[in-house]
Amino acid sequence: MAALLCLLMPLSASAWWNKEWSFRKPITADAAAAGVTGDVGDTVVLVRLHEGVMKFGDANADGGDLRFIAEDDATPLKFHVEKFDPVFNMAFVWVHLPAVKAGAPVKFWLYYGNAKAAKEGDASLSYDDSQALVWHFSSAEGQAGQPPVDASRSRNNALNAAATDDSGLIGGSAKFDGAQAIGAAPSTTLNIAAGAPLTVSAWINPETADQTAVLFAQRDGGNALVVGLDRGAPYVEISDAAGSRRSAPAAAIAAASWHHLAVVFGGNGSTDGASQGNLFVDGQSVATVTGPLPALTTTISLGADAAAGGGAISAGFTGEIDELQIAHSARSAGWLTLAANNQGVEDKLLQFGADEGLSGFSTGYVGIIMQSVTIDAWVIIGILALIALASYAVMYTKGGYCGRTNRANDLFTRQFQTLRSDLTNLESVQPLNEDERDQLEDSSLYRMYKSGIREILHRFEIAGRPGALSAESIESIRASVDATSVRENQRLSKGMVVLTIAISGGPFIGLLGTVVGVMITFASIAAAGEVNVNAIAPGISAALLATVAGMAVAIPALFAYNFLLGRIKDIQANMAVFVDEFVTRMAEMYPAGNDGHNIRAAVGHR
């Protein structure tokens, strides 16, 4: 409970950007954590949202209320949503961050929770002027089965479509079977001047190892730029009037795994700024090719080598390609390292803080878990809540009953010890006030005493004279007191079975909820066709909440049961002692042959 209260304590938040938005989340881009060692400058980073980092139930169904604000909590950042899936609670958003560099983490805010907000986010404004092409391959917004749309302002849309995989790396990927290519028409924004800077990057996932294929090609007569795989090893090749030059063999790329490939001309170690091309794999330079880029003004092809003008396709790639980007600038090594470590399966760049509400309260991880609880888990938790309420009621009533009985028994015992000659008159030596007489009614010993006294007086009435009891009468009276003792024991134990049910049944009911929740979580992952630990973790955490609820029911019940059982045993022991003491005194005071006493029956006949 203390930890939960700490998570719900108010935060000392800065000014709220816009009070029409109910929630926000701090995000920190730490370039150093992503392996960057220098300045990156302006860049576009990928923000993956899932149930583990954002409460999708508080956002609009189309993600139209998402806004990204700079650290000053006043300056809106340019962004665009590639894909927003409210069914599986996943979203892919590209956000433009200015002046990113190692050693200076950049903090910004994600705002959401405004049902009246109009959808915003222009992809063309997210990228700089040098960006000539960006293909996301996402099937969102009716793009399924359609040619990829250029997200940059150059509008270099694809000429044809390829099969897509919604469970690709970033919201969707293009699938190639070795017999197809995706092309883009020639345009001034795709033309390459001789010796000009250029960066081409993409994510690839080869279906088979050791394949030889072309990933990207642009040919113009005898001039060409080709990026491909040679028996699984990536290479870059340029061709011009002087012939063809290919980079030295790099390490082969493993099949069935995503890797970031990039080719940069005009920087990253070039002696004259343009006469060398660098090949990067996962943000690390692995090979170079000597010579400047040739002039190229024809169509590009992705996934195979297709001659300009729609010629035959050759060297087709088998696998998936995602996030093709072409820029007329030489991206720095830090820029490529940041992209590889931000966009990959494991995001090493971004760190998410706890959600904050407009009131200044943060639900933290507790809120994330509660948002992920499924209906079946709520049913289990509801059943456990009913069991908990029943056990708490037993704890309260039984604890109060045992306390009153103990206090009343103590009073009765003190009073009983004062009796010397007349067992039937409890106040013969020390009178009781009205409150004490009322308190005696809660004593189990007093009720046993009254049952014995009634039997004694009944036998005196039959005999016609008080004061004498036969051995048979004493045994009969003892049996009556024992019967009252049994009924008192039943009264003491009444309701304790509820605690045993809570102790033994609570954890098993909670475990049932957890098993069902885990089954549903994995079934939804299977239906989505995407395995992502960030998507699985909230569902598993929510499923485990049922087990936590079961333990929360059982543990208090266990402690209460043992505590109450100890008190009940003390009362039962006192009753057993009282039976023997009562019978012994009765035999001493009223032996057979006694001539009698003037007995005043106070108990039961007052």
Side-chain angles (χ1 to χ4, degrees), residues 44-46 48 80 82 92-94 123 127 131 133-138 148-152 168-174 176 199-205 258-262 302 320-326 335 339-340 342-344:
V44 179
V45 301
L46 173 64
R48 275 187 175 91
H80 67 278
E82 176 181 341
F92 302 87
V93 188
W94 298 90
Y127 299 97
Q131 198 73 48
L133 181 146
V134 176
W135 288 349
H136 289 318
F137 301 107
S138 175
V149 175
D150 185 8
S152 76
L169 179 65
I170 307 172
S173 62
F176 295 87
T199 301
V200 179
S201 65
W203 285 90
I204 69 168
N205 180 14
W258 286 100
H259 295 275
H260 187 260
L261 261 64
L302 181 71
E320 297 178 74
I321 297 179
D322 201 356
E323 198 58 29
L324 173 67
Q325 295 193 14
I326 301 176
W335 194 97
N342 163 236
Q343 301 170 16

Side-chain angles (χ1 to χ4, degrees), residues 241-474:
S244 297
R245 296 172 298 281
R246 179 181 289 194
S247 60
I253 292 178
S257 61
W258 286 100
H259 295 275
H260 187 260
L261 261 64
V263 175
V264 181
F265 284 88
N268 300 304
S270 297
T271 57
D272 61 4
S275 62
Q276 178 175 294
N278 283 262
L279 176 64
F280 287 78
V281 176
D282 295 330
Q284 302 298 316
S285 179
V286 296
T288 60
V289 60
T290 303
L293 272 173
L296 299 168
T297 60
T298 55
T299 184
I300 65 171
S301 62
L302 181 71
D305 194 355
I313 292 175
S314 61
F317 172 69
T318 303
E320 297 178 74
I321 297 179
D322 201 356
E323 198 58 29
L324 173 67
Q325 295 193 14
I326 301 176
H328 291 299
S329 62
R331 302 300 191 188
S332 67
W335 194 97
L336 296 172
T337 301
L338 184 142
N341 289 322
N342 163 236
Q343 301 170 16
V345 175
E346 180 184 1
D347 184 359
K348 299 179 181 179
L349 174 68
L350 300 183
Q351 301 168 5
F352 296 87
D355 289 277
E356 299 177 13
L358 182 58
S359 62
F361 283 84
S362 170
T363 57
Y365 296 114
V366 174
I368 294 173
I369 293 173
M370 297 300 289
Q371 287 289 327
S372 303
V373 177
T374 56
I375 294 178
D376 56 284
W378 281 122
V379 171
I380 294 296
I381 293 173
I383 294 173
L384 290 171
L386 294 177
I387 296 176
L389 290 175
S391 63
Y392 295 154
V394 171
M395 295 176 201
Y396 177 79
T397 57
K398 191 61 63 178
Y401 178 78
C402 290
R404 293 191 301 272
T405 300
N406 270 327
R407 290 190 294 272
N409 283 348
D410 290 341
L411 174 62
F412 173 80
T413 300
R414 291 195 300 270
Q415 193 72 14
F416 185 74
Q417 296 300 327
T418 63
L419 298 181
R420 293 293 180 268
S421 58
D422 188 358
L423 193 62
T424 62
N425 189 359
L426 193 62
E427 300 184 47
S428 61
V429 176
Q430 182 176 334
L432 299 171
N433 58 41
E434 193 64 29
D435 289 340
E436 289 174 331
R437 291 192 185 97
D438 291 339
Q439 185 178 357
L440 278 181
E441 297 299 327
D442 292 325
S443 172
S444 58
L445 300 182
Y446 179 62
R447 289 188 287 270
M448 293 168 62
Y449 167 79
K450 286 201 300 182
S451 68
I453 293 304
R454 281 194 296 269
E455 292 297 323
I456 291 175
L457 294 177
H458 177 65
R459 280 158 178 76
F460 287 169
E461 182 180 354
I462 293 175
R465 63 183 184 87
L469 293 173
S470 64
E472 291 79 3
S473 295
I474 290 175

